[in-house]
Amino acid sequence: MIKKNKFLSFFILILFSFSLAAEDSSKSASDYFVLAEKEIEEENWYSAYQYLLETVTKNPDYQKAWFLLAECSYQLDEFALTLSYLENAEKYFPSDSKILNLRGMTYISLGKTLEAEKIFDEVLKIYPNDVTARFGRAELFLLNGKYTAAEKEYENALFREISNRKALLSLALLLGKQGKYKEAQEYIQKALNFYTGNADVYYYSAILYVM
């Protein structure tokens, strides 16, 4: 994963805050939330984050906004904020699998692998088909160098969602790392077929070809 320039990120956020301040103050919490969702679809995490802050400022009880704030914070590598926002989200959605999974992924990023493993196991006991929890387990296996186990988890996820972009790309790269280029090519080709024009797919496809 490419490391972000933290200073540049902060500078962009400040500029975006000024632009928001100049916008129509009559916008409602729902208006800002809709704008945030559009930005999230484009994976514009900084602008989505700022719109979501406006959402909860206008309406502190806007339930879904708290979870999306946590998701944006996670994507921005702000893991302490992620956990803080998840606590707010959990007030409205106790024991929600999305909240548990995001907390688990955040724990992995913080090096708390045992806590993360416990969460994913808990989720899969209740929801055996939960794809995100299987991704979490795969990440844990990779950290421990258990490539075969990780591969199995990615395959389990793909079995449940045959067009899952993350599963296809993860399998392709993992197989490529192990020198299994023919199998890796099959998965990257599926990703290219499902996601024609997607920049991430082409980027990881290039990495695979370099391998």
Side-chain angles (χ1 to χ4, degrees), residues 4 50 59 83 90 96 125 142 201:
K4 303 177 180 66
Q50 195 63 40
N59 181 5
L83 295 176
E90 201 164 27
D96 185 277
K125 284 180 182 177
L142 286 175
V201 173

Side-chain angles (χ1 to χ4, degrees), residues 7 10 26 39 60 72 106 108 119 125 130 166-167 171 187:
F7 177 78
F10 178 75
S26 66
E39 295 299 318
C72 287
T106 304
I108 290 178
I119 287 176
K125 284 180 182 177
D130 191 291
K166 183 176 179 179
L171 270 170
Y187 285 113

Side-chain angles (χ1 to χ4, degrees), residues 129-147:
N129 293 321
D130 191 291
V131 171
T132 305
R134 294 197 174 277
F135 281 137
R137 281 171 55 86
E139 294 289 332
L140 291 171
F141 285 133
L142 286 175
L143 286 173
N144 293 318
K146 298 179 179 178
Y147 296 148

Side-chain angles (χ1 to χ4, degrees), residues 4-20:
K4 303 177 180 66
N5 184 311
K6 295 293 184 181
F7 177 78
L8 180 59
S9 301
F10 178 75
F11 182 68
I12 293 173
L13 205 54
I14 291 296
L15 288 178
F16 193 80
S17 299
F18 281 124
S19 67
L20 271 184

Side-chain angles (χ1 to χ4, degrees), residues 169 173 185 188 192 200-210:
L169 295 177
L173 292 177
Q185 174 62 30
I188 205 69
L192 289 167
D200 282 345
V201 173
Y202 284 113
Y203 173 75
Y204 288 108
S205 177
I207 291 177
L208 180 62
Y209 280 115
V210 169

Side-chain angles (χ1 to χ4, degrees), residues 56-85:
V56 296
T57 298
K58 294 271 187 179
N59 181 5
D61 293 321
Y62 209 112
Q63 304 170 4
K64 293 181 180 180
W66 289 111
F67 175 75
L68 291 184
L69 270 170
E71 185 176 7
C72 287
S73 298
Y74 174 79
Q75 295 293 340
L76 296 170
D77 293 345
E78 298 292 346
F79 304 122
L81 274 178
T82 303
L83 295 176
S84 176
Y85 290 134

Side-chain angles (χ1 to χ4, degrees), residues 15-210:
L15 288 178
F16 193 80
S17 299
F18 281 124
S19 67
L20 271 184
E23 287 190 8
D24 186 354
S25 61
S26 66
K27 280 189 172 65
S28 67
S30 295
D31 293 332
Y32 281 116
F33 187 78
V34 169
L35 291 171
E37 287 188 310
K38 291 179 180 178
E39 295 299 318
I40 288 173
E41 287 179 7
E42 299 297 323
E43 298 185 1
N44 296 325
W45 305 111
Y46 294 106
S47 50
Y49 178 84
Q50 195 63 40
Y51 282 133
L52 289 165
L53 283 181
E54 292 292 333
T55 301
V56 296
T57 298
K58 294 271 187 179
N59 181 5
D61 293 321
Y62 209 112
Q63 304 170 4
K64 293 181 180 180
W66 289 111
F67 175 75
L68 291 184
L69 270 170
E71 185 176 7
C72 287
S73 298
Y74 174 79
Q75 295 293 340
L76 296 170
D77 293 345
E78 298 292 346
F79 304 122
L81 274 178
T82 303
L83 295 176
S84 176
Y85 290 134
L86 284 176
E87 287 182 8
N88 282 325
E90 201 164 27
K91 294 175 184 177
Y92 303 101
F93 305 104
S95 301
D96 185 277
S97 62
K98 289 183 179 180
I99 293 174
L100 291 171
N101 284 328
L102 185 52
R103 180 176 283 116
M105 297 302 292
T106 304
Y107 282 154
I108 290 178
S109 298
L110 293 171
K112 299 181 178 181
T113 55
L114 292 178
E115 292 92 330
E117 183 179 8
K118 183 178 179 180
I119 287 176
F120 296 133
D121 287 346
E122 178 185 341
V123 172
L124 289 172
K125 284 180 182 177
I126 304 172
Y127 308 104
N129 293 321
D130 191 291
V131 171
T132 305
R134 294 197 174 277
F135 281 137
R137 281 171 55 86
E139 294 289 332
L140 291 171
F141 285 133
L142 286 175
L143 286 173
N144 293 318
K146 298 179 179 178
Y147 296 148
T148 301
E151 184 180 334
K152 183 177 179 181
E153 286 294 356
Y154 286 132
E155 287 174 346
N156 283 334
L158 197 59
F159 177 76
R160 289 161 174 81
E161 289 184 15
I162 60 172
S163 63
N164 189 289
R165 184 179 65 179
K166 183 176 179 179
L168 290 168
L169 295 177
S170 296
L171 270 170
L173 292 177
L174 180 56
L175 290 166
K177 184 179 180 67
Q178 298 175 78
K180 300 176 182 179
Y181 300 117
K182 183 178 179 180
E183 296 96 321
Q185 174 62 30
E186 291 176 3
Y187 285 113
I188 205 69
Q189 189 58 54
K190 288 180 180 179
L192 289 167
N193 291 340
F194 281 122
Y195 301 98
T196 303
N198 182 277
D200 282 345
V201 173
Y202 284 113
Y203 173 75
Y204 288 108
S205 177
I207 291 177
L208 180 62
Y209 280 115
V210 169

